[in-house]
Amino acid sequence: MTTDSEKVVDTSVEQARGLRKFFRRLTASEAELDAEELQRDAKQCGSMPALACRRGQVVSLKGRLRTVVYTPRTNLPTLEAELFDGSDLVTLVFLGRRHIAGIEPGRAITAKGRIAVRDGRKVLYNPYYELDTPR
């Protein structure tokens, strides 16, 4: 059984947490708040944080596209998009594509595939992807 003094302590601890969270939201930058929201959304849908991904793992990542760049190459054109999930960036590389409808900066997306590392960056080649509905 809990005593009255333990209940008072629990209540004051909860109030302190609430105040810390309130002041944290007041002082955090917009980018930090956006990253926290992306991490929360990714966790709710069960996807893995990009920061925890390792080479060779099959992963499901949910985040927002930051940049989309068409890179013309002599033998194989590629479309590259940076996916940010609030913890880290992962480059999505679509080989042989010049444009994909819906793949545009600011779009929420879920991508699935095997993580590779190219030039020290995490990469998904030709990932399976689902465009999330805009809010």
Side-chain angles (χ1 to χ4, degrees):
M1 266 173 90
T2 60
T3 64
D4 289 337
S5 63
E6 288 174 340
K7 288 180 184 177
V8 170
V9 170
D10 287 344
T11 304
S12 64
V13 168
E14 289 299 320
Q15 288 174 344
R17 282 186 191 142
L19 281 174
R20 276 196 301 271
K21 189 174 181 180
F22 173 74
F23 285 118
R24 164 82 175 102
R25 292 192 65 78
L26 281 178
T27 59
S29 71
E30 191 174 326
E32 290 172 329
L33 294 175
D34 187 45
E36 287 175 8
E37 180 184 348
L38 287 171
Q39 288 175 2
R40 204 171 29 255
D41 289 348
K43 188 176 182 179
Q44 285 177 349
C45 80
S47 69
M48 176 179 250
L51 190 62
C53 296
R54 300 289 174 245
R55 179 187 305 192
Q57 276 184 311
V58 176
V59 297
S60 174
L61 302 170
K62 179 181 174 77
R64 189 174 303 129
L65 296 178
R66 281 195 167 172
T67 62
V68 177
V69 178
Y70 166 64
T71 337
R73 300 229 166 95
T74 55
N75 55 354
L76 183 66
T78 60
L79 184 68
E80 296 186 9
E82 284 188 340
L83 176 73
F84 182 65
D85 76 340
S87 67
D88 200 4
L89 284 172
V90 175
T91 304
L92 309 178
V93 178
F94 300 93
L95 299 170
R97 303 296 298 263
R98 288 182 171 82
H99 175 75
I100 300 174
I103 301 292
E104 55 198 24
R107 185 67 187 254
I109 187 172
T110 301
K112 299 173 186 176
R114 186 174 302 275
I115 290 283
V117 177
R118 178 181 77 183
D119 300 330
R121 298 180 338 199
K122 295 174 184 170
V123 179
L124 284 177
Y125 287 99
N126 291 327
Y128 171 78
Y129 66 93
E130 296 175 12
L131 301 174
D132 296 340
T133 56
R135 291 184 181 188

